[in-house]
Amino acid sequence: MNEQKFTGKADLYEKFRPSYPDGLIDFLYDNTRCDNVADIGAGTGKFTRCLLKKPWKVTAVEPNADMRGKLAAIEGITVVNAPAENTGLVDKSVGLVTAAQAFHWFDEERFRTECGRILTDNGKLAIIWYNDVKEGLAARQTEICNKYCLDLILNNGHAGKRSAEDGDKFLRGGYFTELTVEEFPGERIFDRESFIGETLSRSYAPKPGQPNYVLLIDELNALFSEFESGGSAVVKTQTVCYLGSF
């Protein structure tokens, strides 16, 4: 896991990244009924907080100090400073492992080995993605990021890995022994601040003082003005959960 990618972005991430649908949490609980869950690559705890809606004992594993500082403010969880591939959790101690919007940062094979070590015999891994449907505002936002975000350009895409389509094929194609996939459609409503802030919270977005930062914000402002109505704009979303075992 690249542990420094989000250094300096925790405030933006916490303020502007979305939460997750209640239906997803119900789905995970109904399909595991376990006691303990470990949220790996937990970031600022956007997904970790959702897990507290069920009577799980929740552990959040996050190696980035900036992001982990936000986790420390969440009551009712245990916070662990560790990478995804070497969590330090006890063997066979967790009934559910979750990785929400984080799996692309992991060494996939080492992470699978670690899950096999810490999961109980009937334990499961949930890999979760939320994605904006790439049409209208979201499609144009992606074009602007491809134009101005040097990290995205130089690393051949987000985290230098697969497209969303190829990632779906990878997860369905043998990463798990048994797999259930569930999708949760929704929408996000942005105002101007949250639209720009969410973009800047991304790992590849430039920070203040870096090349293209001002140009990126200028084009995002112009784009939002084109699509907004009454100060807000709506983007369709799709949250996908890959729940499997090994």
Side-chain angles (χ1 to χ4, degrees):
M1 184 174 179
N2 190 322
E3 298 174 6
Q4 302 306 318
K5 272 289 184 179
F6 287 96
T7 297
K9 290 181 178 281
D11 288 338
L12 288 168
Y13 200 105
E14 178 62 18
K15 185 175 182 179
F16 295 117
R17 289 293 183 106
S19 186
Y20 293 81
D22 288 342
L24 167 59
I25 307 305
D26 291 339
F27 167 75
L28 290 175
Y29 187 71
D30 291 342
N31 283 275
T32 58
R33 296 287 178 173
C34 59
D35 297 323
N36 298 336
V37 55
D39 189 26
I40 310 297
T44 65
K46 303 297 289 191
F47 187 70
T48 314
R49 288 183 180 87
C50 297
L51 294 171
L52 291 173
K53 296 174 182 178
K54 301 295 182 182
W56 282 307
K57 179 181 178 181
V58 179
T59 299
V61 179
E62 172 56 48
N64 181 276
D66 195 21
M67 306 291 268
R68 202 168 56 251
K70 302 295 184 182
L71 283 171
I74 303 175
E75 294 185 2
I77 69 169
T78 299
V79 179
V80 175
N81 173 13
E85 303 85 358
N86 185 21
T87 64
L89 301 181
V90 176
D91 290 1
K92 297 187 180 300
S93 62
V94 180
L96 173 64
V97 168
T98 60
Q101 212 70 8
F103 179 70
H104 52 303
W105 298 115
F106 304 165
D107 181 307
E108 296 149 354
E109 294 307 314
R110 290 178 59 208
F111 177 60
R112 178 164 60 179
T113 299
E114 179 69 351
C115 287
R117 184 184 70 79
I118 66 175
L119 282 170
T120 60
D121 291 337
N122 296 316
K124 295 183 178 181
L125 164 65
I127 296 174
I128 298 141
W129 301 108
Y130 66 77
N131 294 294
D132 295 334
V133 177
K134 298 303 181 185
E135 61 184 26
L137 177 63
R140 294 275 298 281
Q141 180 189 30
T142 297
E143 292 174 2
I144 291 172
C145 288
N146 286 335
K147 181 178 178 181
Y148 290 115
C149 298
L150 296 181
D151 251 10
L152 189 62
I153 298 166
L154 296 175
N155 290 306
N156 189 31
H158 191 198
K161 287 192 176 179
R162 308 170 185 87
S163 65
E165 294 77 13
D166 288 341
D168 179 74
K169 293 177 183 177
F170 172 79
L171 291 172
R172 291 177 186 265
Y175 190 72
F176 298 95
T177 302
E178 297 182 0
L179 175 66
T180 301
V181 180
E182 197 77 11
E183 299 183 357
F184 303 86
E187 65 179 25
R188 301 166 68 182
I189 301 175
F190 289 102
D191 60 15
R192 186 179 299 274
E193 181 189 19
S194 62
F195 177 68
I196 294 173
E198 189 276 339
T199 309
L200 293 177
S201 77
R202 300 179 182 186
S203 63
Y204 48 75
K207 300 174 185 177
Q210 291 183 333
N212 294 341
Y213 178 81
V214 174
L215 293 172
L216 173 65
I217 291 178
D218 286 347
E219 287 219 19
L220 290 172
N221 265 310
L223 176 63
F224 187 82
S225 294
E226 183 179 340
F227 280 87
E228 65 90 14
S229 176
S232 64
V234 178
V235 171
K236 294 180 182 178
T237 63
Q238 185 83 321
T239 302
V240 184
C241 177
Y242 301 83
L243 180 65
S245 56
F246 305 110

